Amino acid sequence: GGIAWLMSNRGLSVRMKDISWDAIALGYAQAGEYFAQLKKRRRMKQGQIDRAMNRIGASVDYHGFARVDLVVEAVVENMEIKKQVLAETELHLSDSALLCTNTSALSITEIASALQRPENFCGMHFFNPVNRMPLVEIIRGKQTSEQTLARAVAMVKAWGKSPVVVQDCPGFLVNRILLPYMNEAAYLLQEGADIEMVDKTISSFGLPMGPFELADQVGIDVGYKVAKILEEGFGKRMAVCPLLTAVYDDLQLLGKKGDAGFYKYDGKKRVVNPAIAQFAAVGKNREHSAEDIIDRLLIVMVNEAARCLQEGVVASAGELDFAMIMGTGFPPWRGGLCRWADAVGLQTIVNKCETLDAVIEERYQVSPYLRELAATGRGFYPSQKESL
């Protein structure tokens, strides 16, 4: 529904296809809600909304798909289901149509193995909510053609969004950096940190919300599934925190959409969920200062960002920072994650990593690229001398 809204709001005719009319009705409701928000802010009049909603068609079959330029699949985050849906969809498209998957972590290359024209396929990862988040990750699979990437980037720009091209790996770019931060927050909680203090510390640093509020907003189920994909892809250094597993498996909390997660919600009011306390008893006497919290949560992101740059997941520190600002709300006045790390000093970051690595298993092992930059006195960005 959010993606359909985006296209219709840009004057395009769009068709939603699902397996039932009830599911399609949910898509229409989502698009209608986004238009209603624009009307409330006096950005659109009812007549404009009516015309835009009329640009959204729907069907439970593939009628009309032979004429479309682009299909964005947005089904559940399950590899086999995505393969099945995309392979079936491809049979109804022209040879030149662009086929994309809106996935937050699944391998584009593996999904493409089910397709006859993998060169026409790429990832197109929208960030939620679609009407507010400007970033779209364009993910290159092994067989994705340059033409497909160029077309995808051009389309996303035409919709008023900000595309960043990234390579295929578990979590791609933003989630690969963000999930270790959220996972580390769960480890802090397990050690006895206070939920509200952690969130307030990170909000004071400049992010729009703290990690626990963010987990509730995104959906604990969604975050947990992406965290498991990262653990499977990168092993022990991305091991999902036992507390997070307990919150998901034992308490079966969903977050804000289920009225309870790390917080309990009652309309606009919220309080810390007391049910979490039973899993956060270990080390309850351990206090964490604001400096400790920032070190633990931001340094783990910097370390992963260095790995992404070393592996060529993204072309430059500038693009990485742009993606983190646009995709996570990282405070732009700090210049982005890499620019902040340069301001702190990479040798200082390495020293703190080593201190943490001595007491925390694997999660703070210094990435080779970060160590190399620090050892040579360089930053993620070239200095003025290097630029000259």
Side-chain angles (χ1 to χ4, degrees):
I3 297 170
W5 166 86
L6 174 66
M7 295 179 185
S8 69
N9 193 39
R10 286 281 161 170
L12 299 172
S13 295
V14 57
R15 177 179 291 269
M16 292 188 294
K17 190 264 178 202
D18 214 311
I19 56 174
S20 73
W21 287 106
D22 285 345
I24 287 169
L26 293 174
Y28 273 117
Q30 182 69 77
E33 183 184 325
Y34 286 169
F35 279 123
Q37 291 174 19
L38 290 175
K39 182 181 178 182
K40 189 176 181 181
R41 298 202 305 269
R42 298 185 179 181
R43 300 283 299 277
M44 286 186 87
K45 295 180 179 178
Q46 189 59 49
Q48 294 172 300
I49 292 172
D50 292 342
R51 287 191 293 276
M53 287 295 287
N54 284 335
R55 288 193 286 268
I56 304 176
S59 64
V60 290
D61 57 27
Y62 289 97
H63 179 72
F65 271 58
R67 297 190 301 275
V68 301
D69 299 311
L70 166 75
V71 171
V72 180
E73 161 274 312
V75 302
V76 66
E77 286 281 87
N78 178 289
M79 178 61 76
E80 293 312 310
I81 294 174
K82 281 191 180 286
K83 281 182 177 179
Q84 181 184 337
V85 169
L86 285 160
E88 182 182 289
T89 302
E90 187 185 38
L91 298 175
H92 299 274
L93 303 180
S94 69
D95 290 349
S96 62
L98 199 62
L99 186 58
C100 305
T101 177
N102 177 35
T103 175
S104 53
L106 296 175
S107 169
I108 303 304
T109 300
E110 186 178 342
I111 295 172
S113 67
L115 302 177
Q116 296 175 15
R117 296 186 295 275
E119 68 278 6
N120 289 0
F121 176 69
C122 68
M124 189 176 277
H125 176 212
F126 292 84
F127 285 71
N128 275 323
V130 172
N131 64 327
R132 291 172 58 193
M133 299 299 288
L135 185 69
V136 178
E137 286 179 319
I138 306 295
I139 306 106
R140 181 204 302 261
K142 249 180 195 172
Q143 293 176 274
T144 304
S145 72
E146 292 295 327
Q147 184 183 20
T148 292
L149 284 177
R151 287 175 67 196
V153 166
M155 286 180 174
V156 167
K157 283 184 175 179
W159 302 333
K161 294 294 185 182
S162 301
V164 171
V165 176
V166 301
Q167 302 298 322
D168 189 19
C169 68
F172 313 131
L173 178 65
V174 172
N175 280 336
R176 177 171 166 181
I177 295 171
L178 187 65
L179 263 294
Y181 151 89
M182 295 173 75
N183 195 41
E184 199 61 32
Y187 277 109
L188 279 173
L189 178 57
Q190 186 171 280
E191 293 167 14
D194 180 77
I195 287 177
E196 288 186 302
M197 182 184 176
V198 171
D199 277 350
K200 284 176 182 174
T201 298
I202 294 301
S203 294
S204 297
F205 178 82
L207 270 82
M209 59 184 75
F212 299 112
E213 187 182 357
L214 178 62
D216 280 358
Q217 190 79 29
V218 169
I220 292 171
D221 54 334
V222 175
Y224 179 77
K225 286 171 186 174
V226 175
K228 288 300 287 183
I229 289 169
L230 291 174
E231 182 180 28
E232 288 164 15
F234 298 112
K236 211 167 183 181
R237 70 181 172 85
M238 293 269 197
V240 176
C241 176
L243 181 143
L244 193 57
T245 301
V247 168
Y248 175 75
D249 278 339
D250 299 340
L251 295 180
Q252 299 184 348
L253 297 174
L254 297 176
K256 201 167 184 181
K257 63 188 174 186
D259 294 327
F262 291 100
Y263 295 92
K264 290 188 81 172
Y265 298 87
D266 181 9
K268 291 187 177 180
K269 295 180 182 177
R270 75 174 192 199
V271 294
V272 172
N273 190 348
I276 302 287
Q278 61 182 299
F279 299 109
V282 179
K284 199 65 184 174
N285 58 345
R286 181 175 174 185
E287 292 186 5
H288 295 80
S289 68
E291 185 181 355
D292 288 340
I293 291 165
I294 288 172
D295 282 352
R296 287 280 292 273
L297 300 189
L298 268 74
I299 286 173
V300 77
M301 286 202 288
V302 172
N303 206 18
E304 200 58 42
R307 288 190 173 95
C308 288
L309 288 167
Q310 183 174 23
E311 295 168 20
V313 173
V314 65
S316 66
E319 287 182 58
L320 189 152
D321 279 348
F322 176 79
M324 292 301 291
I325 289 167
M326 293 295 184
T328 72
F330 195 92
W333 64 88
R334 295 189 183 274
L337 181 65
C338 294
R339 186 72 75 179
W340 172 80
D342 281 357
V344 171
L346 296 195
Q347 189 57 59
T348 300
I349 300 279
V350 167
N351 293 345
K352 289 186 175 187
C353 263
E354 288 175 337
T355 301
L356 289 165
D357 187 43
V359 293
I360 294 172
E361 195 174 7
E362 294 204 28
R363 300 196 306 278
Y364 287 90
Q365 283 185 357
V366 184
S367 76
Y369 183 56
L370 182 60
R371 191 181 292 282
E372 177 195 329
L373 288 175
T376 54
R378 291 179 292 155
F380 288 112
Y381 288 86
S383 65
Q384 283 191 329
K385 279 186 180 179
E386 288 175 298
S387 298
L388 294 172

